[in-house]
Amino acid sequence: MKQLLALFLFCFFASSLQAQDAARMIKDWERAKAYTAEYLAAMPEDGTNYKPAADVRSFAEQMIHIAGANFMFASQVSGKANPYQGQNLETMDKFKTKAALATLVNESYDYVINTVKGLSAAQMTENMKLFNMDVTKGAAIDKLFEHGTHHRGQTTLYLRMKGVKPPQEKLF
């Protein structure tokens, strides 16, 4: 009987922790969306396609890269179709204006947030293949967050090179 009670309590607390983890993820993704929107707003229109060197992505291409990864990872996690499947967003001129870029990037963050909201605690622990590696769906979402943070961080220099003070960091 004690073992059954212990198993029940373990399952209850594990489920509660997983629900808290999902709530944390959603809050973090909403914060990242707002922070990225501040970066997009800070860059002047004439800096949207700025490249610090010929062989690197422009500011717009960095942001489009974030958006493309958001769609790709989240579609793999959710099993739902990527709305931009088969399209190389970074080469599409229609996303290289400030307004269109902001719309695409915000859409991609909403796509991830809705994916996380649609996952149960059990689904977060399901294994999946990501770049030929076995990861949980929750870990895939965490790696995607890390990816976006990395590329947004790169654009800090783009803003500074255009004479713009980057937005204040949002850790919480």
Side-chain angles (χ1 to χ4, degrees):
M1 185 67 163
K2 287 183 184 179
Q3 290 173 336
L4 186 58
L5 179 60
L7 179 61
F8 171 77
L9 289 174
F10 174 78
C11 290
F12 173 77
F13 287 115
S15 177
S16 176
L17 288 174
Q18 288 172 341
Q20 289 173 10
D21 193 45
R24 175 204 47 89
M25 281 180 151
I26 292 165
K27 185 177 176 183
D28 285 347
W29 277 97
E30 288 171 344
R31 178 177 46 83
K33 176 186 174 187
Y35 193 29
T36 305
E38 288 180 19
Y39 268 70
L40 289 161
M43 180 58 87
E45 181 76 45
D46 70 349
T48 302
N49 293 294
Y50 171 70
K51 286 182 159 194
D55 61 342
V56 298
R57 290 181 176 109
S58 69
F59 178 86
E61 289 165 343
Q62 289 281 13
M63 291 295 178
I64 294 168
H65 180 73
I66 292 170
N70 285 351
F71 287 119
M72 192 254 317
F73 275 60
S75 70
Q76 288 184 353
V77 167
S78 68
K80 295 180 182 171
N82 177 341
Y84 296 97
Q85 183 64 41
Q87 298 179 48
N88 184 347
L89 301 177
E90 288 180 46
T91 63
M92 298 173 74
D93 288 338
K94 73 179 187 175
F95 295 123
K96 293 184 181 173
T97 66
K98 190 170 176 174
L101 180 61
T103 298
L104 176 72
V105 172
N106 285 326
E107 179 189 355
S108 79
Y109 276 94
D110 288 340
Y111 190 77
V112 175
I113 292 165
N114 289 328
T115 294
V116 175
K117 286 179 177 178
L119 294 173
S120 69
Q123 288 172 313
M124 288 287 236
T125 63
E126 288 177 2
N127 285 325
M128 61 175 279
K129 288 279 190 195
L130 184 66
F131 301 115
N132 217 18
M133 294 178 286
D134 291 318
V135 298
T136 65
K137 290 181 177 185
I141 295 293
D142 283 341
K143 288 300 174 189
L144 178 59
F145 191 86
E146 182 179 341
H147 174 267
T149 300
H150 166 78
H151 287 285
R152 183 181 54 242
Q154 289 179 318
T155 66
T156 299
L157 296 173
Y158 292 51
L159 289 170
R160 290 196 183 281
M161 292 172 91
K162 292 301 283 180
V164 176
K165 183 180 180 203
Q168 181 65 39
E169 186 174 19
K170 293 184 175 312
L171 289 177
F172 302 97

